[in-house]
Amino acid sequence: DSGVTQTPKHLITATGQRVTLRCSPRSGDLSVYWYQQSLDQGLQFLIQYYNGEERAKGNILERFSAQQFPDLHSELNLSSLELGDSALYFCASSTQTGTGDGYTFGSGTRLTVV
Amino acid sequence: GQNIDQPTEMTATEGAIVQINCTYQTSGFNGLFWYQQHAGEAPTFLSYNVLDGLEEKGRFSSFLSRSKGYSYLLLKELQMKDSASYLCAPGGDNYGQNFVFGPGTRLSVLP
């Protein structure tokens, strides 16, 4: 157990639907990052939150949104889903300073859009 | 922005040594991470270089040259379980933590 919890582990939904993925960071970590990984593709950075505020944004679609709550858990909302959104979605958390211990990843949510 | 380049695939034999290279161009840099990712699983942290030179950690070593925008991961005494993707990630934000990963190098270890 990495300490980063993602739910659900698997999700199957139809095109056009909306889903919410949840992430609880490791205890004490203030930063949360969301990544998308399509089949045989690299990790694509979506968005970062730090202590409740958006810190950086990557190639996140307008149909996608995220937030980090006061208890530091984060949610990634995906709407108007398309077949191409099928992917593994990872959440990672890190300490607030660059101590070099890197990111800790959750086990991911596998989203299948049918 | 960041431009990160790694070989797509590599193959090596059990017991051998393999070097996985990474070149990058990034605005702002605090250090470079290497991660291992087995298929369908989450990436796991391997190493972090903030100074130039070689960092050794067991069978894995990582080298960094900041002036050249170059790093490599050296894996010794390869084992079958080392078959995985290896991701290079230059750290670029103000907190020294990266958020952009390279495309990854898929390593296959053969018996």
Side-chain angles (χ1 to χ4, degrees):
Chain A
D1 183 6
S2 67
V4 179
T5 303
Q6 287 190 250
T7 57
K9 291 192 185 303
H10 301 277
L11 196 52
I12 301 176
T13 190
T15 55
Q17 295 299 304
R18 182 180 190 276
V19 297
T20 298
L21 313 183
R22 182 188 168 100
C23 169
S24 293
R26 199 176 49 169
S27 177
D29 285 355
L30 299 180
S31 277
V32 169
Y33 308 79
W34 286 98
Y35 288 86
Q36 178 193 54
Q37 188 172 40
S38 303
L39 188 64
D40 292 331
Q41 298 294 312
L43 284 166
Q44 299 297 316
F45 169 66
L46 296 179
I47 198 164
Q48 177 202 359
Y49 280 84
Y50 175 76
N51 202 21
E53 295 189 359
E54 183 182 302
R55 179 76 175 78
K57 190 178 274 191
N59 297 322
I60 187 167
L61 300 172
E62 287 191 7
R63 301 184 285 109
F64 296 0
S65 65
Q67 56 184 326
Q68 186 180 30
F69 295 86
D71 67 352
L72 301 178
H73 91 272
S74 178
E75 292 181 356
L76 178 67
N77 301 297
L78 316 176
S79 61
S80 302
L81 285 168
E82 302 175 359
L83 295 178
D85 297 327
S86 296
L88 262 173
Y89 290 85
F90 287 107
C91 165
S93 71
S94 71
T95 58
Q96 63 184 83
T97 58
T99 59
D101 59 353
Y103 286 1
T104 301
F105 281 82
S107 57
T109 294
R110 184 175 295 278
L111 173 66
T112 303
V113 182
V114 297
Chain B
Q2 298 187 350
N3 187 15
I4 307 165
D5 193 31
Q6 300 180 236
T8 303
E9 293 188 13
M10 298 183 72
T11 303
T13 306
E14 197 173 12
I17 299 173
V18 70
Q19 178 175 313
I20 301 174
N21 296 324
C22 170
T23 58
Y24 62 89
Q25 295 174 328
T26 181
S27 55
F29 183 85
N30 290 312
L32 189 138
F33 297 87
W34 282 94
Y35 284 79
Q36 180 191 59
Q37 185 181 27
H38 286 97
E41 297 182 9
T44 56
F45 170 75
L46 287 179
S47 69
Y48 176 60
N49 292 64
V50 63
L51 301 175
D52 283 2
L54 190 66
E55 293 278 345
E56 297 189 69
K57 190 184 291 186
R59 293 189 300 113
F60 294 1
S61 302
S62 54
F63 172 85
L64 176 65
S65 169
R66 298 171 69 115
S67 62
K68 294 182 180 178
Y70 168 69
S71 174
Y72 69 73
L73 180 69
L74 194 68
L75 292 77
K76 304 175 187 176
E77 302 171 14
L78 281 172
Q79 302 175 9
M80 300 294 288
K81 67 178 182 179
D82 297 329
S83 293
S85 288
Y86 291 85
L87 311 175
C88 162
D93 76 359
N94 292 334
Y95 296 94
Q97 303 286 359
N98 68 289
F99 46 75
V100 178
F101 286 79
T105 297
R106 185 179 300 177
L107 174 66
S108 299
V109 180
L110 305 178

